[in-house]
Amino acid sequence: MTASGTFGYGTERCHPFDIQKLGAIVCKGTTLEPRDGNPQPRLAETAGGVLNSIGLQNIGVKALIKEKAPIWASWRVPVIVNIAGGTIDDYAKVAGELDGVAGISAIEVNISCPNIKAGGAEFGAIPKSAAEVTTAVRAATSLPILVKLTPNTSSIAEVATAVAEAGADAISLINTLKGVAIDITKRRPLVGSVSGGLSGPAIKPVALYLVYEVAGAVAVPVIGCGGITTASDALEFIMAGASAIQVGTASFTNPRAPLDVLEGIERFLEEEGIADIAELIGAARR
Ligand SMILES: Cc1cc2nc3c(=O)[nH]c(=O)nc-3n(C[C@H](O)[C@H](O)[C@H](O)COP(=O)(O)O)c2cc1C
């Protein structure tokens, strides 16, 4: 899958490969109303990673249903809509709007955005509020729901267990880690909102650890994300217990990364004589 916020809506004409070959596309985080996002600059490169502070700039759920879903409905590749909100009610309303819309295969509930003032990661840091959002979304839609967790919590296994019990069909993780970078000549933070979310290869070991923890704590499928750049990275997540993976920041330096990772996994399976990737899920845990 593509990771939310790093592949637009899939409808942009810039992707240098057949996107229909992917397992799924997760679109940019979508809110009830359109959002302009945070002040510029919003992206800064750091060692082995990127700090972003987009602030959920998006077209809003109504425009998404009108302009994007009809295009998705003709695709082979399933599209998962990532949603966010400032209140639990916002999440439920967005999920309700998406229910039954042709072209939308599932909802990914982002309770992990570090870049908005209200809501977002606050919901994902505590098991109780994470479960409340999940329960509200579950009640609002019959679509499968993935709940996307933040690494910015001291209790990842408890949060994962709470959202699974509240009705999540799968758990995706991780969203970005909170970080700061400073321009020493200007003596100012490199992103406009001071802190941003760190992604890319720098976060991979952290993501792998948290995926390993969560896969050991819940029975629902886990979708691994965080710094995956190559097929070998992806296979590490699978072996840690992920049933699927997402490629995010890697697309910025290699726009073919999602397909390269997929084709690399296929080659590995062939070379190793493995007929079904399910044989590798959690292989490093046994
Ligand atoms: C520019 C940018 C925008 C993002 N926007 C979203 C978003 O809207 N919703 C979301 O759940 N995650 C968002 N993310 C987080 C990614 O989906 C992913 O969880 C994170 O970047 C870690 O994966 P990576 O290291 O492969 O990029 C964004 C990441 C980046 C770099």
Side-chain angles (χ1 to χ4, degrees):
M1 300 177 189
T2 60
S4 176
T6 62
F7 208 75
Y9 296 94
T11 51
E12 302 74 15
R13 299 196 180 273
C14 59
H15 307 298
F17 64 91
D18 180 5
I19 63 171
Q20 304 300 328
K21 290 183 177 167
L22 295 176
I25 287 170
V26 184
C27 78
K28 175 65 192 166
T30 299
T31 48
L32 204 50
E33 301 298 335
R35 283 174 64 96
D36 292 335
N38 287 341
Q40 299 280 4
R42 298 171 172 181
L43 274 184
E45 224 173 307
T46 57
V50 164
L51 207 55
N52 94 79
S53 162
I54 308 296
L56 289 179
Q57 178 186 2
N58 77 97
I59 60 176
V61 70
K62 288 211 162 58
L64 177 134
I65 291 169
K66 194 163 163 240
E67 295 163 22
K68 306 296 177 186
I71 302 174
W72 297 337
S74 66
W75 288 1
R76 184 212 70 86
V77 60
V79 176
I80 298 171
V81 176
N82 181 286
I83 67 168
T87 65
I88 291 176
D89 196 43
D90 285 350
Y91 282 93
K93 282 195 179 125
V94 180
E97 297 267 358
L98 297 171
D99 194 37
V101 175
I104 297 171
S105 296
I107 292 175
E108 182 176 64
V109 187
N110 175 7
I111 51 168
S112 42
C113 183
N115 297 326
I116 53 175
K117 282 205 182 82
E122 280 166 30
F123 289 117
I126 302 161
K128 185 169 174 286
S129 51
E132 281 167 4
V133 176
T134 309
T135 302
V137 172
R138 178 71 293 160
T141 181
S142 53
L143 284 166
I145 52 178
L146 291 53
V147 177
K148 184 165 176 183
L149 303 189
T150 175
N152 304 309
T153 170
S154 56
S155 50
I156 195 89
E158 287 86 344
V159 172
T161 306
V163 303
E165 281 170 0
D169 296 295
I171 290 173
S172 44
L173 75 160
I174 59 174
N175 209 316
T176 52
L177 284 146
K178 250 190 160 173
V180 169
I182 292 173
D183 180 334
I184 58 165
T185 53
K186 293 187 184 140
R187 304 178 189 188
R188 296 293 313 147
L190 274 171
V191 295
S193 54
V194 182
S195 70
L198 182 65
S199 63
I203 71 169
K204 195 188 91 180
V206 178
L208 257 175
Y209 164 67
L210 294 171
V211 164
Y212 194 99
E213 286 289 295
V214 168
V218 296
V220 295
V222 172
I223 299 159
C225 175
I228 297 174
T229 306
T230 62
S232 140
D233 295 335
L235 287 159
E236 285 189 66
F237 279 80
I238 303 280
M239 291 180 192
S243 299
I245 60 93
Q246 297 179 347
V247 175
T249 301
S251 291
F252 298 166
T253 44
N254 171 19
R256 268 187 59 94
L259 188 63
D260 283 352
V261 167
L262 179 58
E263 290 176 347
I265 293 173
E266 284 167 354
R267 266 196 308 278
F268 180 84
L269 296 182
E270 261 170 46
E271 281 160 18
E272 297 281 315
I274 297 167
D276 186 348
I277 194 167
E279 285 175 40
L280 293 181
I281 298 172
R285 317 178 62 86
R286 297 193 274 269

